[in-house]
Amino acid sequence: MFLVFNDPQAVAQYVSERLVQVVKNKPQTILGLATGSTMEPVYQRFCRDAKEQGLDVSQLISFNLDEYIGLSPEHPQSYHYYMNHHLFDHLDFAKQKTFLPEGMPDDVDAHCQQYSQKIADHGGIDLQLLGVGSNGHIGFNEPGTPFNSRTHVVHLSEQTRLDNGRFFDSMDEVPSRAITMGMKDIMEAHEIVFIATGDNKAQVMLDLYESAVDEQMPASMLKEHKNTLFIVDKKAAALLPATACQFIE
Ligand code: F6R
């Protein structure tokens, strides 16, 4: 069942309320975080709500889903930069507790292995935020990624490079590889909040709805997760049958 909200702002309000509630209940919550356009209004609203309510985020631990290989943390299109810009710099986050895969590690394979291990050592992710690519990817797990994968290097599909090209000055600058948390790491999160907004996500929402649980449609794995909320706005829900939707006014 998809929870359908009017627009991205209504989605952001709902998700922010859930985040605030989770952090109030457990200040040491382990968050799994995503980047991308979908999350921008969510982080903006969360920053506002957290400030208004004096929420203590200093004990939070976070693990981001992914990072481009070859971009330094200072690069404006790196996900390190994105997170500082949209979330961490606005609130009292303890930076040493905010983890992202590194874009330029000395030993990529060792780094990937250590990243999944670090998540496990912290007891796993309490709440994972997820966006979705137009090809159904979650994190940077492209179609065909095994459901039992851990953090690994991925060669980005042409579709994903084209989709993300909008953030770069030219297509030549769009990295062709990234490090992503694996499908199994995501599946082990205790709670998942999956979000899709906008016209450009309508087709993939229909594909997801119609798909069996299949590695060719990575987001379909979530149908087997016990505690996933599928949250969309009206534009992303445009092609879904009404029977699959619960409209939230
Ligand atoms: C980013 C990530 C990706 C995005 C997805 C949607 O950390 O994990 O899976 O969530 O590519 O991106 P937007 O929100 O820009 O459409």
Side-chain angles (χ1 to χ4, degrees), residues 33-39 64-66 79 130-134 137-140 160 164 166-167 180 197 200-201:
L33 299 175
T35 58
S37 308
T38 312
M39 296 301 151
N64 263 77
L65 284 164
D66 38 22
Y79 289 163
L130 283 183
V132 63
S134 61
H137 74 220
I138 52 177
F140 270 141
T160 298
N164 289 3
R166 68 188 191 279
F167 298 114
T180 183
T197 54
N200 58 334
K201 298 294 165 67

Side-chain angles (χ1 to χ4, degrees), residues 123-145:
I125 288 166
D126 292 308
L127 188 152
Q128 175 71 55
L129 292 180
L130 283 183
V132 63
S134 61
N135 61 2
H137 74 220
I138 52 177
F140 270 141
N141 292 286
E142 299 283 31
T145 306

Side-chain angles (χ1 to χ4, degrees), residues 23-34:
V23 177
K24 272 188 184 158
N25 285 347
K26 183 182 170 191
Q28 309 87 343
T29 294
I30 320 265
L31 290 178
L33 299 175

Side-chain angles (χ1 to χ4, degrees), residues 134-194:
S134 61
N135 61 2
H137 74 220
I138 52 177
F140 270 141
N141 292 286
E142 299 283 31
T145 306
F147 283 163
N148 65 1
S149 54
R150 295 292 182 188
T151 303
H152 62 283
V153 174
V154 41
H155 292 265
L156 299 174
S157 68
E158 264 326 284
Q159 180 65 55
T160 298
R161 290 187 70 245
L162 282 172
D163 286 349
N164 289 3
R166 68 188 191 279
F167 298 114
F168 292 82
D169 291 336
S170 80
M171 279 307 292
D172 293 344
E173 292 176 31
V174 185
S176 52
R177 293 191 307 155
I179 294 179
T180 183
M181 208 187 269
M183 296 295 278
K184 198 157 187 197
D185 301 306
I186 295 172
M187 195 65 171
E188 285 171 355
H190 301 131
E191 176 179 351
I192 296 176
V193 177
F194 170 95

Side-chain angles (χ1 to χ4, degrees), residues 9-10 12-13 16-17 19-20 40-55 57 86-87 90-91 93:
Q9 282 64 42
Q13 182 184 343
S16 173
E17 278 169 14
L19 286 171
V20 168
E40 288 181 21
V42 173
Y43 294 145
Q44 199 178 23
R45 179 70 197 221
F46 178 69
C47 288
R48 189 180 115 186
D49 290 347
K51 277 183 198 155
E52 276 176 14
Q53 299 183 42
L55 191 71
V57 300
H86 290 289
L87 183 63
H90 299 275
L91 297 170
F93 276 87

Side-chain angles (χ1 to χ4, degrees), residues 218-231:
S220 68
M221 176 185 72
L222 305 173
K223 293 183 183 191
E224 292 199 330
H225 190 271
K226 290 192 184 66
N227 193 13
T228 293
L229 274 181
F230 292 92
I231 295 181

